[in-house]
Amino acid sequence: MGAFDAVMFGIEDDPLLRSSITLVAMLDRAPDLALVTDRTERLTRLQPRLRQRAVGNPMSLAPPRWEVDPHFDAGFHLRWRRAPGEREALAEVLDFAERMSEADFDRARPLWEAAIITGLVDDQAALIVKIHHCITDGIGGLAMAASLFDLSRDAPEPGDMPTVSAAEPSSLIHRVEQAVGFEVRAAAYDAARLARLAFSTGRTAVTNPVGVTRQAVDTAASTIRMLAPQGRPLSTLMSDRSLSVDFSVVEVPLDALKSAARRHDTTLNTCFLAVVTAALRDYHVALGEQLRRVRVNMPVSVRTDSDEAAGNHWVPARFVMPAEPADVSGLLRRIEPVVRRAQHDPALRASTIVYQLLASLPAPLTTSIAGSLMKGVDVAATNVPGPPMPVYTAGAKVTKLIPFAPKSGAAVNVGLMSYAGGVFLGVNCDPAAVTDSRLFTECVRTALADLLHPRGPQPSDRRLTAVIDHSDTSDQEAKAVVTVSSSRP
């Protein structure tokens, strides 16, 4: 495993830091059983990581290794389930996805699973995919799953089945060689990276000695902040943590969100973060509390076109954002420079070396350090671009594509994915922290509606209503439908 993947795998010695990604694809009809089975087998052959299990030794400081599972059975990882069909389709799917997400993986097998849900109202179906974060990140996961999707309902002929690598478990000697090799490669990588930084710094120092000194001080300070324990969450209302999850979905048209970003002369991601922050503040206000600042964990992608789909290619940016003023437009102006600084934090350049160090520490120490960083986070927010056009799987059209990113110690994680002209916000709440998840989801919808059609500054103690109605305005953006779905009745 790479250093970052190893840390994501190892920190689960603390169950509260579990990091499974769950993707829900709603389908307009049940997919073809034979095609799904064939596609799944092909996927595992095209992406060998899906046939590999993580093998480690608690007595070794080297990270776990990926080895082909000698007993791999695709049928174990792909399950078919029939829903009662008594409620709205998405609600029943979210209920199943919650329970699927809460369960830990069998560490003796590859760390992923999928389920096809049929029997939903109106003959709908769903595909739920759950994958451990140590295998890949959100963008890589979509790339890995590409072979499951088609651009038309009639799937093309699949062609010959790809070959598969034979399972060859490593011997003890080979494992020792791998461990030594990892340490040598890690040391060489760190030395080369430090040499490049030193060379670049030295060259810059000749022409700008004051500037390079300031940069070195900033980088050191930022790195110290990156590793500094976060303490308790800034929200006293959402400080408890549990293993449970509560899934809900907020939908909004992509064009409306892009138009709002252009109107405010900012990015879609900054608008997204403003909506999440405003929702947190309004949730607190509705429950009689004040939230003036919020600690955010936001992944910054460093993935390039040459990177393989497997593996993580992002670095975590943790920062504190203001939660005021009350209107989203005013909040945008305050948080934009904060987000910009976080995305270009000097410590991000040293994050690879930091994670090499964490991966080399004894597992309990790594878990302790990671826990001190992650459990003080109020909210995690991630943004992943999905397919811009409709896609199909085994003859069924994907109508919604909803991401649920792991809480990993936070009170809530809101994941955003664009798909076929829509934007789907997957809200993953910890019910021990967010005791009224339905209210919080309504706050997300309220904040989105405010962003699409600003209503001007609002009193800081305003109360939330369950229904948002902008039908009395002629503004086309205000008529954009913002809908909410939940597993709860």
Side-chain angles (χ1 to χ4, degrees):
M1 282 188 187
F4 196 94
D5 304 340
V7 171
M8 298 298 292
F9 178 80
I11 60 176
E12 291 196 349
D13 287 346
D14 183 343
L16 291 178
L17 302 182
R18 286 178 183 169
S19 56
S20 298
I21 304 170
T22 304
L23 180 68
V24 173
M26 295 298 297
L27 311 176
D28 68 344
R29 70 186 193 190
D32 181 90
L33 170 59
L35 275 178
V36 170
T37 303
D38 178 86
R39 288 296 183 85
T40 304
E41 178 67 24
R42 288 175 183 276
L43 174 62
T44 66
R45 295 178 178 227
L46 292 171
Q47 301 291 342
R49 185 60 51 80
L50 297 179
R51 302 179 77 94
Q52 297 172 338
R53 59 184 180 177
V55 179
N57 186 333
M59 302 303 293
S60 172
L61 295 182
R65 299 163 303 284
W66 292 113
E67 292 184 1
V68 174
D69 180 4
H71 310 293
F72 179 75
D73 176 11
F76 172 82
H77 297 271
L78 177 64
R79 294 87 181 269
W80 291 75
R81 298 289 184 267
R82 186 170 184 82
E86 300 170 348
R87 294 188 289 151
E88 189 264 334
L90 183 53
E92 289 198 336
V93 172
L94 293 180
D95 185 62
F96 187 91
E98 288 171 353
R99 288 180 277 118
M100 185 172 166
S101 172
E102 289 174 338
D104 199 5
F105 286 103
D106 180 351
R107 296 299 182 95
R109 298 176 183 267
L111 303 174
W112 68 275
E113 59 186 62
I116 302 291
I117 312 298
T118 59
L120 301 170
V121 297
D122 299 327
D123 296 322
Q124 296 178 76
L127 166 65
I128 306 173
V129 179
K130 173 187 169 186
I131 189 166
H132 198 288
H133 218 320
C134 71
I135 294 179
T136 187
D137 50 33
I139 296 176
L142 278 179
M144 293 180 78
S147 58
L148 290 178
F149 299 119
D150 303 305
L151 297 180
S152 64
R153 195 178 293 275
D154 298 324
E157 288 296 325
D160 296 334
M161 183 68 73
T163 58
V164 61
S165 301
E168 297 181 356
S170 298
S171 65
L172 177 60
I173 294 177
H174 186 205
R175 290 177 178 177
V176 171
E177 291 175 344
Q178 286 178 320
V180 173
F182 167 81
E183 295 297 341
V184 171
R185 289 192 303 272
Y189 177 88
D190 292 348
R193 185 174 179 84
L194 288 171
R196 288 194 299 270
L197 287 173
F199 176 77
S200 174
T201 301
R203 186 173 55 183
T204 305
V206 174
T207 57
N208 185 12
V210 175
V212 77
T213 301
R214 183 181 297 113
Q215 181 184 30
V217 171
D218 289 346
T219 300
S222 296
T223 304
I224 291 172
R225 287 198 305 272
M226 174 185 286
L227 291 173
Q230 301 298 310
R232 293 183 61 81
L234 296 178
S235 166
T236 57
L237 191 64
M238 304 191 308
S239 59
D240 292 338
R241 299 290 185 267
S242 73
L243 296 178
S244 300
V245 300
D246 196 341
F247 287 173
S248 57
V249 185
V250 180
E251 305 175 36
V252 62
L254 178 58
D255 285 345
L257 201 54
K258 285 183 173 180
S259 178
R262 287 193 299 269
R263 185 171 62 249
H264 292 285
D265 192 27
T266 188
T267 65
L268 187 147
N269 186 61
T270 303
C271 287
F272 167 52
L273 289 172
V275 165
V276 172
T277 304
L280 283 169
R281 181 203 59 235
D282 288 349
Y283 173 79
H284 281 71
V285 169
L287 295 180
E289 298 285 341
Q290 293 293 324
L291 181 67
R292 303 192 185 282
R293 299 187 305 155
V294 57
R295 185 175 289 121
V296 180
N297 187 357
M298 179 186 71
V300 177
S301 177
V302 293
R303 181 176 289 274
T304 66
D305 293 339
S306 61
D307 289 325
E308 295 182 354
N312 285 272
H313 300 278
W314 60 278
V315 291
R318 280 179 295 274
F319 52 98
V320 174
M321 289 201 307
E324 297 174 320
D327 65 295
V328 177
S329 299
L331 185 61
L332 267 172
R333 290 190 292 272
R334 288 200 66 192
I335 73 168
E336 185 173 31
V338 178
V339 175
R340 193 183 308 114
R341 284 196 302 271
Q343 291 173 325
H344 298 89
D345 193 310
L348 298 181
R349 294 176 295 178
S351 60
T352 303
I353 299 175
V354 170
Y355 278 92
Q356 290 279 9
L357 172 63
L358 288 175
S360 300
L361 295 175
L365 184 55
T366 300
T367 301
S368 176
I369 294 174
S372 69
L373 297 175
M374 301 166 71
K375 291 181 181 178
V377 170
D378 297 293
V379 62
T382 182
N383 177 2
V384 178
M389 75 293 289
V391 294
Y392 302 79
T393 183
K397 182 179 180 180
V398 177
T399 57
K400 303 178 190 292
L401 207 54
I402 310 162
F404 292 100
K407 304 190 305 297
S408 298
V412 58
N413 192 325
V414 183
L416 180 151
M417 180 173 288
S418 57
Y419 169 64
V423 170
F424 299 90
L425 274 64
V427 183
N428 179 4
C429 291
D430 184 335
V434 185
T435 55
D436 192 340
S437 60
R438 187 180 182 88
L439 172 63
F440 176 73
T441 307
E442 289 293 343
C443 290
V444 174
R445 184 170 70 166
T446 302
L448 270 171
D450 286 350
L451 175 70
L452 301 183
H453 183 66
R455 294 180 290 169
Q458 302 294 312
S460 59
D461 62 345
R462 66 188 177 94
R463 291 298 185 264
L464 274 284
T465 58
V467 179
I468 296 113
D469 183 7
H470 293 300
S471 59
D472 59 341
T473 176
S474 60
D475 192 322
Q476 190 64 33
E477 289 177 15
K479 294 180 180 179
V481 179
V482 182
T483 58
V484 172
S485 300
S486 170
S487 63
R488 300 292 180 265

